């Protein structure tokens, strides 16, 4: 009966499940401690994962299953419900006494799991029940860091409202949420982080990589331009380091803008000079705009005049 029961739970067939499972029979007692597959999930894990709150209630209240039961990765049903964005299941499990900050393997909390998705209502439910946004997993990431990787500005705004210091965090290798957002090309998130958080302009991780370097190395020129505009110093050394590491100097974003466009938009004369000296040619973007056309400051304009004079 194991496989049919599992399928009934996954499909949310409470009517048939009641016919098969009764608290006073042998089968009803057996499923309370039954773990399925290599992951060791119980029926309660599956009900939470598939979002069947009525099945959860039956398993807990009628069959007496423990809301804190864990699988082989120490994952609780609350982890499952939170990671899949099932608000009703999340609320039910917490009302039945599930620990809001329980840890699964690698020290992930349900709130961290919820922040991998964009379901703000689930995140709010967890926080309102006391979930701690400042807890870190084994890699040193808190929920703010995770939401930055996933590119969820609305989640980040909420976390900043309820926990203003959640932005001030580093992973075990000293990477900030700004590093992570820049690396993954999350432009809206980078924009928000620069607006509302106080990251150092050239913060470096343990390998010496800055958010600007992450953006350029991964071809996110629009983010590199934004960082140049907001952070006005230190980028010449960063560009030199990138070039020495063999970064693709000709990388362009989705609008065919190069690092030279970014330097000119940020009015960075020294950065523009080193890019031109390294062999980067001024080519039009998808709108036909050349980098030099973005130059406004006299010293940036002069860089292109010097280049034309020497050509």
């Amino acid at each position: 009966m194991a496989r049919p029961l599992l399928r009934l739970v996954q499909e949310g067939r409470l009517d048939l499940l009641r016919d098969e499972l009764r608290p006073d029979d042998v089968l009803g007692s057996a499923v309370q401690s039954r773990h399925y597959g290599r992951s060791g999930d119980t029926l309660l894990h599956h009900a939470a994962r598939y979002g069947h709150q009525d099945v959860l209630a039956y398993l807990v209240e009628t069959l007496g299953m423990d809301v804190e039961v864990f699988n082989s990765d120490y994952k609780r049903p609350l982890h499952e419900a939170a990671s899949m964005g099932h608000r009703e299941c999340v609320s039910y499990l917490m009302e039945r006494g599930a620990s809001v900050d329980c840890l699964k393997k690698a020290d992930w909390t349900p709130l961290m799991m919820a922040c991998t998705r964009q379901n703000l209502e689930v995140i709010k439910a967890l926080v309102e029940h006391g979930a701690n946004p400042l807890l870190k997993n084994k890699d040193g990431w808190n929920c703010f860091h995770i939401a930055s990787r996933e590119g969820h500005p609305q989640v980040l705004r909420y976390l900043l409202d309820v926990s203003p210091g959640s932005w001030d965090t580093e992973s075990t290798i000293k990477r900030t949420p700004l590093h992570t957002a820049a690396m993954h090309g999350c432009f809206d998130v980078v924009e928000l982080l620069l607006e509302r958080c106080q990251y150092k302009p050239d913060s470096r991780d343990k390998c010496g990589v800055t958010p600007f370097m992450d953006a350029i190395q991964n071809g996110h020129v629009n983010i590199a331009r934004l960082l140049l505009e907001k952070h006005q110093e230190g980028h010449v050394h960063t560009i030199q380091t990138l070039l020495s590491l063999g970064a693709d100097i000709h990388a362009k974003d989705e609008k065919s803008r190069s690092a030279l466009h970014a330097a000119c938009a940020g009015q960075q004369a020294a950065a523009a000079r080193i890019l031109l000296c390294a062999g980067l040619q001024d080519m039009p973007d998808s709108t036909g705009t050349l980098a030099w056309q973005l130059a406004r400051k006299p010293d940036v304009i002069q860089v292109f005049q010097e280049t034309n004079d020497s050509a």
Side-chain angles (χ1 to χ4, degrees), residues 16-206:
L16 297 180
L17 196 64
R18 283 198 185 104
D19 293 338
E20 298 291 345
L21 290 177
R22 300 186 184 280
D24 54 351
D25 64 22
V26 174
L27 187 58
S29 300
V31 299
Q32 294 184 39
S33 56
R34 177 68 185 266
H35 293 260
Y36 298 84
R38 186 174 298 177
S39 64
D41 291 330
T42 66
L43 292 181
L44 209 59
H45 285 87
H46 286 277
R49 181 180 305 151
Y50 285 88
H52 302 308
Q53 190 268 332
D54 55 346
V55 176
L56 271 181
Y58 179 74
L59 295 174
V60 172
E61 297 172 32
T62 303
L63 294 186
M65 293 191 70
D66 182 6
V67 295
E68 293 285 47
V69 66
F70 54 85
N71 67 8
S72 54
D73 288 330
Y74 299 99
K75 185 186 288 187
R76 272 72 168 178
L78 185 58
H79 285 103
E80 292 285 2
S83 68
M84 298 304 291
H86 300 310
R87 188 186 185 283
E88 290 185 357
C89 292
V90 166
S91 296
Y92 174 79
L93 289 166
M94 290 188 295
E95 288 166 3
R96 299 297 301 187
S99 174
V100 71
D101 282 330
C102 54
L103 301 179
K104 78 170 192 71
K105 189 176 182 180
D107 296 337
W108 280 66
T109 67
L111 181 58
M112 293 175 193
M113 303 288 287
C115 285
T116 64
R117 293 181 177 266
Q118 254 179 305
N119 195 321
L120 187 56
E121 293 305 310
V122 170
I123 293 168
K124 286 181 177 179
L126 290 163
V127 172
E128 288 167 3
H129 275 78
N132 185 353
L134 300 180
L135 293 179
K136 294 185 176 184
N137 63 21
K138 76 173 184 64
D139 295 316
W141 287 34
N142 66 10
C143 60
F144 190 87
H145 207 147
I146 292 165
S148 296
R149 179 191 67 187
E150 300 299 329
H152 300 159
Q154 69 277 27
V155 173
L156 293 169
R157 291 189 188 96
Y158 172 74
L159 292 174
L160 287 171
D161 289 340
V162 298
S163 181
S166 56
W167 68 271
D168 190 11
T169 184
E170 291 180 341
S171 70
T172 53
I173 58 171
K174 299 185 70 63
R175 289 181 63 77
T176 67
L178 185 60
H179 280 90
T180 302
M183 176 181 178
H184 288 274
C186 304
F187 182 88
D188 292 342
V189 168
V190 171
E191 196 171 39
L192 174 66
L193 298 183
L194 292 175
E195 176 187 337
R196 293 194 56 178
C197 308
Q198 291 81 53
Y199 293 108
K200 295 179 180 178
D202 280 307
S203 57
R204 296 176 180 272
D205 64 15
K206 280 192 174 180

